[in-house]
Amino acid sequence: MTDEASNRPEASAPEARAPRGFADRRGRDLTAERRIVARVSEVYERWGFEALETPAFEYADALGKFLPDADRPNEGVFALQDDDDQWMALRYDHTAPLARFAAQNWETLPKPFRRYAYGPVWRNEKPGPGRFREFWQCDADTVGSDRPEADAEIIAMGCEGLRAAGLAAGQAVIRVSNRKLFDGLFDAGGITDPMQRLTALRAVDKYDRLGVEGVRLLLGEGRLDESGDYTKGANLPASVIGAIEAFLASAEALGLSRAGVLDAVSGAALGAAGEEALKELAAIDRALTAMGVSQDDVRFDPTIVRGLEYYTGAVFEAELLLDTKDEKGRAVRFGSIGGGGRYDDLVSRFTGQSTPATGFSFGVSRLASALRAAGRGAEDATRGPVVAIVFSEDDMQHYLDAVSELRAAGIAAELYLGRAGMKAQMKYADRRGAPAAVILGGDEIAAGQVTIKDLDAGRARAAAIADNDAWKAERPGQQTVARDQLVAVVRSIVE
């Protein structure tokens, strides 16, 4: 049998592939996400929020059905049946598990209960470009306060959290509205069917993408998109559709201050629920102003409704304003990177008693991708360890001593453990992103010396030198020093 034939996989061997909608992530992506989580967690704790981690699995009935997907009817979660015949599902967000935890432990919790959480969530939806079934979210919620100031605090803290994550002033905005504005419109139009209302809200949620014409179709019989897929509409009466269109038109006065937007929409026939929404938004504005939150960082936009069914009042959505490009340099729009709102009925599903709550969540993975698309990923480039080159089995003790000294000094280091020659080892060190390579050849060992190659400097100089002879003459970033200077010299390179 030839070597080539022996290297072929068996006909029955599995194909090496990741499941659809799931992605492998290496150092750069993980570093970016961990950095964001660490910085935002520090903000949340400074605002007095406690960390909480809930299990990846919850009982399916505890999660509820808040994620209907047109492509996968009656799905939305990854579920399995346990040996006690009960159905469990992977969490699709951190809010539903919080509601279960709060209901289960309410008697012993400080009230209001303020917590933040981060970690992966899973959604059994149809995957697509930029749409994954597993991704990280970071949440902060207050359970047990019905004050509009609680909403305002969550919004203000969300602004500070996004700033800590790497977004400067003017690079993101949180848009705020209230679900009760549309409740008032539905009440005035005689729309009482909850599913019809929800379908209409989902139509309005697409306003920024489809415009008034697309929303009009979805409020009516339905819409056929460019791919040929048909989305069934809410079938609202023409008079209600007209009222919603008029409201959306008045709500487009986005250049106004928060108070100015409220004045612009106050003339609509909003009914009692809508008037209550305006009062709540006015209270949120007063609190935001008192906390020094600018009109540019938080704006009122009554077209924001959010997609999840459990929101009952104020809703907010964080929009990225950074210029972003894809891998081919083409402009792309990330749009929403997070959101939240008030959900006063979620805990009561378990207790039967009204328990007000409000919270904000942003996609950690999505924000990291957006920052990278904006050319902001340099700080997340993974820096590998210092690599010690191996020349001879007989000198293995010298190599092991060198990496042990570096590690004891707090410097990441590794000994090359393959069987390749020096050229391949240097290529390995470069691929690892190593800042330096430690060379202990026979001559160095005999002379009590060590050669250290500054790979960071070498890369920088090589990029600036077009002539290969000049590059060789400069021998960029390489020095031979006394063996006892190893740690000091390497530290000067690494730091």
Side-chain angles (χ1 to χ4, degrees):
M1 180 182 293
T2 66
D3 288 342
E4 181 181 353
S6 65
N7 289 330
R8 291 175 184 163
E10 296 281 341
S12 60
E15 179 184 351
R17 67 199 190 282
R20 289 188 314 123
F22 295 84
D24 298 312
R25 297 176 300 156
R26 293 186 63 186
R28 182 186 67 171
D29 297 326
L30 295 175
T31 298
E33 293 181 9
R34 289 170 181 168
R35 174 181 57 80
I36 290 172
V37 167
R39 292 180 179 178
V40 174
S41 296
E42 183 179 334
V43 170
Y44 290 172
E45 290 183 4
R46 191 166 64 249
W47 282 65
F49 283 68
E50 171 190 336
L52 173 69
E53 182 174 280
T54 58
F57 274 97
E58 296 280 345
Y59 284 116
D61 61 347
L63 285 176
K65 295 183 178 180
F66 298 107
L67 284 176
D69 189 309
D71 300 309
R72 302 176 65 81
N74 302 318
E75 294 289 343
V77 296
F78 289 99
L80 59 86
Q81 195 170 23
D82 205 355
D83 57 7
D84 61 358
D85 295 331
Q86 295 193 72
W87 281 92
M88 301 188 302
L90 287 170
R91 64 187 180 215
Y92 58 76
D93 68 3
H94 294 290
T95 307
L98 169 63
R100 186 271 305 161
F101 174 84
Q104 188 176 357
N105 299 279
W106 192 244
E107 294 303 319
T108 61
L109 291 177
K111 304 173 187 63
F113 178 57
R114 299 145 66 87
R115 84 89 178 88
Y116 75 92
Y118 57 83
V121 298
W122 296 267
R123 297 188 179 180
N124 188 8
E125 300 174 333
K126 184 178 181 180
R131 186 182 185 187
F132 294 97
R133 290 170 165 176
E134 178 185 40
F135 50 93
W136 271 57
Q137 285 188 331
C138 185
D139 286 35
D141 296 77
T142 297
V143 182
S145 175
D146 62 357
R147 292 178 176 274
E149 291 81 6
D151 299 302
E153 182 183 61
I154 287 286
I155 295 166
M157 187 174 68
C159 289
E160 187 172 329
L162 292 175
R163 196 71 57 86
L167 294 173
Q171 294 181 338
V173 61
I174 296 182
R175 303 187 188 278
V176 180
S177 186
N178 194 307
R179 278 279 185 90
K180 295 175 185 176
L181 292 172
F182 282 93
D183 287 341
L185 290 170
F186 294 144
D187 290 343
I191 307 301
T192 58
D193 182 2
M195 287 308 300
Q196 193 176 21
R197 287 188 176 208
L198 185 60
T199 303
L201 287 174
R202 292 198 181 112
V204 176
D205 195 35
K206 299 178 173 64
Y207 180 74
D208 63 335
R209 182 166 57 88
L210 301 180
V212 66
E213 181 58 34
V215 170
R216 182 188 300 117
L217 293 173
L218 290 175
L219 292 173
E221 293 185 0
R223 177 179 178 273
L224 187 70
D225 66 21
E226 295 176 355
S227 68
D229 290 338
Y230 183 78
T231 302
K232 188 177 179 181
N235 284 308
L236 297 180
S239 59
V240 179
I241 294 176
I244 292 176
E245 283 191 69
F247 174 76
L248 293 176
S250 67
E252 284 191 333
L254 298 181
L256 299 175
S257 66
R258 293 189 290 260
V261 173
L262 297 184
D263 288 339
V265 301
S266 61
L270 299 175
E275 293 302 323
E276 184 179 353
L278 292 177
K279 290 180 181 178
E280 292 173 1
L281 289 171
I284 290 173
D285 178 39
R286 288 193 296 271
L288 289 172
T289 302
M291 287 186 283
V293 179
S294 77
Q295 302 285 336
D296 291 330
D297 286 340
V298 177
R299 303 173 192 167
F300 284 168
D301 179 355
T303 66
I304 300 298
V305 296
R306 300 292 292 160
L308 288 180
E309 183 180 350
Y310 55 61
Y311 291 124
T312 58
V315 285
F316 7 102
E317 187 162 288
E319 179 185 355
L320 187 72
L321 302 179
L322 269 176
D323 292 329
T324 52
K325 297 180 180 180
D326 63 15
E327 295 177 352
K328 296 183 179 179
R330 297 172 298 194
V332 293
R333 179 179 178 273
F334 264 82
S336 176
I337 52 174
R342 177 161 288 279
Y343 50 97
D344 288 347
D345 297 333
L346 200 56
V347 178
S348 68
R349 293 177 57 244
F350 301 93
T351 64
Q353 299 176 350
S354 178
T355 306
T358 183
F360 174 78
S361 169
F362 71 89
V364 177
S365 309
R366 186 170 178 79
L367 180 54
S369 298
L371 290 171
R372 191 160 53 249
R376 300 273 298 281
E379 63 182 303
D380 300 317
T382 304
R383 200 176 200 196
V386 173
V387 175
I389 305 299
V390 171
F391 293 91
S392 167
E393 295 285 342
D394 297 336
D395 294 325
M396 188 62 70
Q397 185 65 55
H398 293 281
Y399 313 143
L400 290 169
D401 287 345
V403 295
S404 294
E405 286 179 34
L406 292 170
R407 291 169 184 160
I411 299 171
E414 72 164 276
L415 177 64
Y416 177 78
L417 293 176
R419 296 188 179 276
M422 180 176 178
K423 183 177 180 180
Q425 291 186 55
M426 294 302 298
K427 186 175 182 179
Y428 168 84
D430 189 56
R431 285 186 172 178
R432 290 284 280 128
V438 173
I439 300 172
L440 280 165
D443 293 341
E444 282 91 355
I445 293 172
Q449 297 177 322
V450 60
T451 296
I452 301 166
K453 189 159 187 135
D454 184 341
L455 298 180
D456 286 344
R459 294 182 191 103
R461 295 186 189 183
I465 299 174
D467 183 77
N468 195 48
D469 292 334
W471 184 86
K472 289 181 178 179
E474 283 206 15
R475 296 180 63 80
Q478 182 168 303
Q479 56 182 309
T480 300
V481 299
R483 173 66 179 77
D484 61 5
Q485 294 298 303
L486 169 65
V487 170
V489 173
V490 170
R491 189 188 302 282
S492 70
I493 293 171
V494 172
E495 296 179 353

